[in-house]
Amino acid sequence: MTALEPRDADVPRLIEDVDAPAPAGPVLPEGILGRTYRALSIGIVSVVFLIAFEATAVGTAMPVAARELDGIALYAFAFSAYFTTSLFAMVLSGQWADRRGPLAPLAAGISAFGAGLLLSGTAGSMWMFIAGRAVQGLGGGLVIVALYVVISRAYPEHLRPGILAAFAASWVIPSVVGPLAAGSVTEHLGWRWVFIGIPALIVFPLALALPEIRRMASGPAGPQAAVEAYDRRRIVLALGISLGAGLLQYAGQERNWLSLLPAAAGAALLVPAVRGLLPPGTTRAGRGLPAVVLLRGVAAGSFIAAESFVPLMLVTERGMSPTLAGLSLAAGGGTWALGSYVQSRPRLEPHREPLMVGAMVLVALSIAAAPAVLITSVPVWTVAVAWAFGCFGMGVVIASTSVLLMKLSAPEEAGANSAALQISDGLSNVLLLAAGGAAFAALGGGAVDAAHEAARTTASTSHPAAFAVVFFPMAAVALAGAWVAGRVRER
């Protein structure tokens, strides 16, 4: 059966009476906005839109919040708190969804996400602000895995690429509007309203999506499936991977001899946790599911680590304003959505593996081309063009890894495997960011905590070599991902 040949169960039953005459023509399968899936699709895409808007808007307001709370020294922890708690929540959400269905973890996650925003928006100290970000991370981790389980259970295989493409498209508007809206609100009303205002968006996704999820994807994976007890070992490993990632990030920020102690402790926690939470064979790119999970981490980690330094490079080396530097990446939202749309075309399904290989080569070339703007004779718009192509490749790869994960997962394993995919994504982000940041600082890039102050004053304390040592290794990692992409299909 191919993506062009839906099963009978995938076609809505239009005639209930067995004696009624058959329809005059063939019944076409519904799309993601057809009668059966419309409310569910709009609801869960709205959830992703909410997460996307939060990610872009809150990031804009964060420096102002840290300054007003006298927390510049703790600025990085506002990001790491979200990340470390989300890693634990991903594993918990996977087990919860596999055993009880995705409805409860999704509802709990959206609620925690909103509560964290309110806590940060009303914080009177930086540590309270960080606590709010940690609560947000719990909510975000629960939501993202539960959404993948919803897709796996509620949508037939031929519709999954389409709904994942819609997820990517939901980032386009926030990537352009989010920073501008957050900047305007921060300037005229104050940074707190950026955090307090976003939870109002939660009501619509809850009202629209949850009833449909209850109808189409609630309960255990199947009517005959036994409800197993929670795997306490995996939950302990999840705690280990969260704590280990946090320790490594802390050590990378400190960059002194004493930081070797938390770095060693973090590595000791991460190694057994990674081996226990990711599919066997992931670290050696075993064919099929292990390669899919590894590719997700390689692609996301290399691209995000490089992207984090693009605005700083444009500000400190080419004298652009922070707003223009950030907007130079805005086109990437559209090309990312385009790449996700392209991979969803049924005619390309038989060619998914070579398409992913080519996409990873495109990502590697875009990362390698970005530091060309360090040469003053190269126009600054070059990086915007290069990044647009890289985002297209990422749109193909990220959506394709999600499609393949669902295809290679049994219904009762969808939650655990979705959690593994997200763990690979998130963990590679922090590890490659830590490595890139350490190399950047070692070659005169300045402290990570000072980066935002440098962007604010447009005073350069960095050197071209400090950026080159970030971008070129990340391009090599992305190029290695092209080899991994060639192993995603089982032989």
Side-chain angles (χ1 to χ4, degrees):
M1 184 185 71
T2 68
L4 294 175
E5 299 171 347
R7 297 168 293 181
D8 292 340
D10 297 337
V11 181
R13 187 178 181 183
L14 301 179
I15 302 175
E16 297 294 337
D17 188 351
V18 295
D19 295 325
V27 179
L28 297 177
E30 285 188 279
I32 60 173
L33 292 179
R35 180 179 177 182
T36 302
Y37 304 102
R38 185 183 301 124
L40 178 62
S41 297
I42 295 175
I44 62 176
V45 168
S46 297
V47 173
V48 177
F49 182 90
L50 168 66
I51 294 174
F53 192 82
E54 183 274 342
T56 55
V58 168
T60 302
M62 197 84 75
V64 179
R67 284 196 298 269
E68 290 194 8
L69 295 173
D70 297 323
I72 291 295
L74 300 173
Y75 183 82
F77 288 99
F79 293 95
S80 62
Y82 183 101
F83 174 78
T84 54
T85 55
S86 68
L87 280 175
F88 169 72
M90 289 172 189
V91 178
L92 177 61
S93 183
Q95 293 211 23
W96 196 352
D98 281 342
R99 286 155 179 78
R100 304 292 181 181
L103 179 63
L106 183 60
I110 294 177
S111 300
F113 193 81
L117 283 166
L118 290 174
L119 183 59
S120 292
T122 57
S125 68
M126 191 60 180
W127 280 115
M128 186 63 68
F129 182 88
I130 292 171
R133 293 287 294 165
V135 175
Q136 273 186 262
L138 285 171
L142 289 171
V143 167
I144 193 63
V145 173
L147 284 177
Y148 275 88
V149 178
V150 169
I151 295 173
S152 176
R153 293 192 183 187
Y155 292 88
E157 185 174 321
H158 72 280
L159 290 183
R160 293 171 189 167
I163 190 64
L164 290 169
F167 277 14
S170 68
W171 279 81
V172 175
I173 294 177
S175 67
V176 177
V177 176
L180 296 177
S184 178
V185 171
T186 299
E187 181 179 350
H188 295 95
L189 298 177
W191 64 267
R192 294 183 185 275
W193 286 102
V194 176
F195 291 84
I196 295 173
I198 291 177
L201 301 175
I202 293 174
V203 177
F204 177 74
L206 281 175
L208 196 60
L210 295 187
E212 295 300 312
I213 295 173
R214 181 180 293 108
R215 181 174 64 89
M216 303 176 67
S218 62
Q224 305 300 324
V227 179
E228 300 180 1
Y230 285 87
D231 189 341
R232 295 183 179 180
R233 176 178 174 273
R234 288 183 65 84
I235 294 177
V236 171
L237 290 175
L239 287 171
I241 203 171
S242 295
L243 183 57
L247 287 172
L248 281 178
Q249 192 171 28
Y250 171 79
Q253 291 168 355
E254 290 298 309
R255 295 186 301 277
N256 56 46
W257 287 108
L258 290 178
S259 67
L260 293 177
L261 294 176
L269 288 169
L270 275 180
V271 171
V274 167
R275 291 173 60 89
L277 293 174
L278 301 186
T282 297
T283 56
R284 53 182 175 81
R287 287 196 174 276
L289 182 62
V292 170
V293 173
L294 178 62
L295 177 60
R296 179 61 162 261
V298 169
S302 59
F303 191 77
I304 297 303
E307 185 179 59
S308 300
F309 286 88
V310 169
L312 183 61
M313 178 175 64
L314 294 176
V315 168
T316 60
E317 301 300 323
R318 297 302 298 265
M320 294 181 67
S321 68
T323 300
L324 288 178
L327 288 177
S328 67
L329 303 178
T335 57
W336 190 306
L338 178 61
S340 186
Y341 171 80
V342 167
Q343 66 79 37
S344 71
R345 298 299 84 198
R347 292 182 180 180
L348 292 177
E349 176 59 32
H351 311 290
R352 187 177 294 279
E353 182 177 326
L355 182 66
M356 295 172 71
V357 172
M360 283 307 303
V361 172
L362 193 61
V363 171
L365 291 175
S366 71
I367 296 174
V373 297
L374 294 170
I375 303 172
T376 55
S377 59
V378 175
V380 292
W381 53 258
T382 302
V383 70
V385 174
W387 222 248
F389 280 100
C391 285
F392 175 85
M394 286 295 290
V396 171
V397 172
I398 296 301
S400 291
T401 53
S402 300
V403 170
L404 289 173
L405 177 109
M406 295 173 192
K407 188 174 183 178
L408 296 171
S409 301
E412 66 274 9
E413 297 175 344
N417 289 342
S418 296
L421 191 74
Q422 298 302 323
I423 288 171
S424 178
D425 187 319
L427 184 60
S428 66
N429 283 345
V430 73
L431 293 181
L432 291 179
L433 272 169
F440 179 75
L443 289 186
V448 174
D449 289 343
H452 291 273
E453 183 66 19
R456 185 174 67 88
T457 62
T458 68
S460 175
T461 58
S462 58
H463 306 283
F467 289 100
V469 80
V470 173
F471 284 95
F472 292 131
M474 295 307 160
V477 173
L479 191 60
W483 173 78
V484 179
R487 301 175 60 83
V488 296
R489 287 196 182 274
E490 296 175 324
R491 297 302 186 201

